[in-house]
Amino acid sequence: MNQQKISFQSIYVAIFFAQGALIPYMALFFSQSRFDLSPGQVGTIVAIMPILSIGVQPLWGMLADRTGRVRAWLIIAMLGAAALSLTFLFATSYVWIIILMIAWSIFQCAHIPLVDMMTLEYTSRAKIDYGAIRLFGSAGFAIAVFVMGRISDTTWGLASTFLLSAVMLAIGTLFVRSVSEQEPKQVHTTAPFQWSAVWNGPFIAFLIGGMLVFGPIYANNYYFGIYVTSIGGSTTLVGTLFLVAVLCEIPFMKVAYQIVSRLGTVNVLAGAALISALRNGWLALEPPIWVVWILAIVQGLVVGLLIPVALQFVRSLVSRNVVSTAIGVYMAITSGLATAGFNLLSGFIIEYNSIIGVFWMYTVVSIVGAVLFFGLRRFRVKG
């Protein structure tokens, strides 16, 4: 197998393992009695990274577009996040946690857009399916949530999430260094940047729908653990359900483009969004645990289709010379602005209602997002 392909697959395993060991358990970690934080404060903490990514992710994208040194920026971001994640083990006050989350988030939110930029350039050049590489990220995430579910029930506890995340990011930088980077064909440092090349009508319409669809999906990663424990499940069950969901992403990522070739990009995006809404609504009805297992599989289907198809759709909506910036904007709006908003809103809904109210809210906005995606059919775009 091509050594470069193996390196990219290993990078995705490392980055998503680091996220899987941390993000699904972050709300549970800060909800422990030793922190004495309210649900609203916990919601604020987990919303910091998405909020910061609104501005920071496009900045990372612009740095990559202007310098052509994506690999160097990715290594810096991974090492910075690894070092700062260890500091959470010593923070107990709300103010210090907020400060550390801000510093850590600046580096953490750069990982996925930067590695996606590198991978899309490589897959385009090598004529390789992006999904065949990205699915290794899902595998890394799945392994991490399962392992952490086991570890969190031991004497090591939830604090080990930050340690595991730091170790995997440090290992991941070794694989990033092994990737050969294309030399930039021209230097853009003095060229004026034209935002009009990014902010076209179809792209803006897609971002609006994406906020309503991806926001609940990403916020679910933070609050699904609270949902499971609220219905009597353990943290081990949380990890196992995440494992099932993420493992189910892999086959759908593998066949995503075949499905798109049959049904069309917009129909796949809208259909997956509608399925996501139905999944959230079923959870809100408090079904028996065997149904929750089935819905974990459904979640894998949704994410496995949406992530690769949406990313390729973004590439088709903008000019080639601003693809990195467009990806940064897309990540900032969907995994940033939308996730931050839904994390905050979810925290306050729990405080004044319950976790069930959170999933009813996810259901309604996902339906609206699916309708907006269907509306994209009137646009004529490439691919």
Side-chain angles (χ1 to χ4, degrees):
M1 186 182 292
N2 186 292
Q3 184 59 46
Q4 289 290 288
K5 184 178 180 181
I6 294 174
S7 294
F8 275 106
Q9 291 168 338
S10 301
I11 294 167
Y12 273 96
V13 170
I15 287 176
F16 279 86
F17 188 103
Q19 287 208 352
L22 189 57
I23 288 179
Y25 300 98
M26 189 175 285
L28 284 173
F29 176 76
F30 290 117
S31 296
Q32 294 177 101
S33 58
R34 68 189 182 94
F35 292 106
D36 194 27
L37 301 175
S38 69
Q41 288 176 317
V42 173
T44 301
I45 290 170
V46 298
I48 288 175
M49 185 177 74
I51 289 173
L52 281 180
S53 67
I54 297 167
V56 175
Q57 282 183 328
L59 178 60
W60 287 108
M62 291 176 67
L63 285 171
D65 278 331
R66 285 176 170 269
T67 65
R69 306 298 182 186
V70 186
R71 185 179 63 178
W73 292 118
L74 179 57
I75 291 173
I76 291 170
M78 292 173 71
L79 289 177
L84 286 167
S85 65
L86 296 175
T87 61
F88 286 98
L89 300 176
F90 309 100
T92 54
S93 73
Y94 180 59
V95 173
W96 273 111
I97 291 171
I98 292 291
I99 293 172
L100 290 175
M101 280 295 296
I102 292 172
W104 172 79
S105 297
I106 291 173
F107 295 99
Q108 180 70 24
C109 68
H111 300 168
I112 295 178
L114 289 181
V115 72
D116 278 343
M117 293 170 201
M118 291 178 62
T119 307
L120 287 170
E121 189 279 328
Y122 166 71
T123 55
S124 176
R125 175 165 41 89
K127 307 301 181 185
I128 296 174
D129 184 2
Y130 164 81
I133 294 178
R134 173 58 178 80
L135 61 84
F136 279 79
S138 296
F141 194 97
I143 295 169
V145 292
F146 180 74
V147 169
M148 267 312 307
R150 298 282 181 172
I151 294 176
S152 61
D153 281 336
T154 68
T155 55
W156 288 88
L158 288 166
S160 57
T161 57
F162 294 97
L163 179 59
L164 272 178
S165 180
V167 170
M168 288 305 298
L169 287 177
I171 293 173
T173 60
L174 301 178
F175 293 105
V176 176
R177 289 176 61 86
S178 70
V179 171
S180 61
E181 188 170 46
Q182 289 288 98
E183 289 295 322
K185 293 184 174 62
Q186 59 182 9
V187 179
H188 300 287
T189 52
T190 59
F193 186 82
Q194 296 183 350
W195 277 104
S196 59
V198 177
W199 295 110
N200 60 68
F203 185 52
I204 294 173
F206 170 75
L207 290 179
I208 295 172
M211 289 175 62
L212 299 177
V213 173
F214 284 101
I217 288 174
Y218 291 135
N220 171 85
N221 290 339
Y222 291 91
Y223 287 97
F224 186 65
I226 293 178
Y227 174 87
V228 172
T229 54
S230 73
I231 62 174
S234 65
T235 52
T236 298
L237 178 60
V238 173
T240 306
L241 288 170
F242 267 109
L243 173 68
V244 170
V246 182
L247 285 179
C248 289
E249 293 177 16
I250 296 173
F252 287 103
M253 282 189 179
K254 188 69 175 176
V255 302
Y257 298 125
Q258 289 92 316
I259 296 175
V260 166
S261 66
R262 283 174 164 270
L263 303 179
T265 302
V266 173
N267 288 333
V268 171
L269 290 173
L274 186 59
I275 293 172
S276 180
L278 293 174
R279 177 257 184 190
N280 289 323
W282 207 344
L283 285 174
L285 293 172
E286 300 182 74
I289 194 65
W290 65 268
V291 174
V292 177
W293 282 90
I294 294 175
L295 295 178
I297 297 173
V298 173
Q299 178 75 356
L301 179 155
V302 169
V303 176
L305 290 178
L306 280 177
I307 288 181
V309 174
L311 190 60
Q312 291 287 0
F313 191 58
V314 168
R315 294 190 72 197
S316 73
L317 295 174
V318 299
S319 302
R320 184 175 180 180
N321 65 314
V322 294
V323 166
S324 295
T325 303
I327 291 174
V329 171
Y330 156 69
M331 294 286 187
I333 297 298
T334 56
S335 65
L337 177 61
T339 308
F342 285 108
N343 278 353
L344 283 169
L345 184 57
S346 298
F348 287 114
I349 289 177
I350 292 173
E351 190 165 350
Y352 294 104
N353 188 282
S354 69
I355 188 64
I356 301 304
V358 170
F359 281 87
W360 278 123
M361 179 265 292
Y362 291 168
T363 302
V364 173
V365 297
S366 296
I367 291 173
V368 176
V371 172
L372 291 175
F373 275 170
F374 274 120
L376 287 171
R377 288 183 295 180
R378 66 190 181 90
F379 292 112
R380 294 288 183 264
V381 296
K382 300 179 295 178

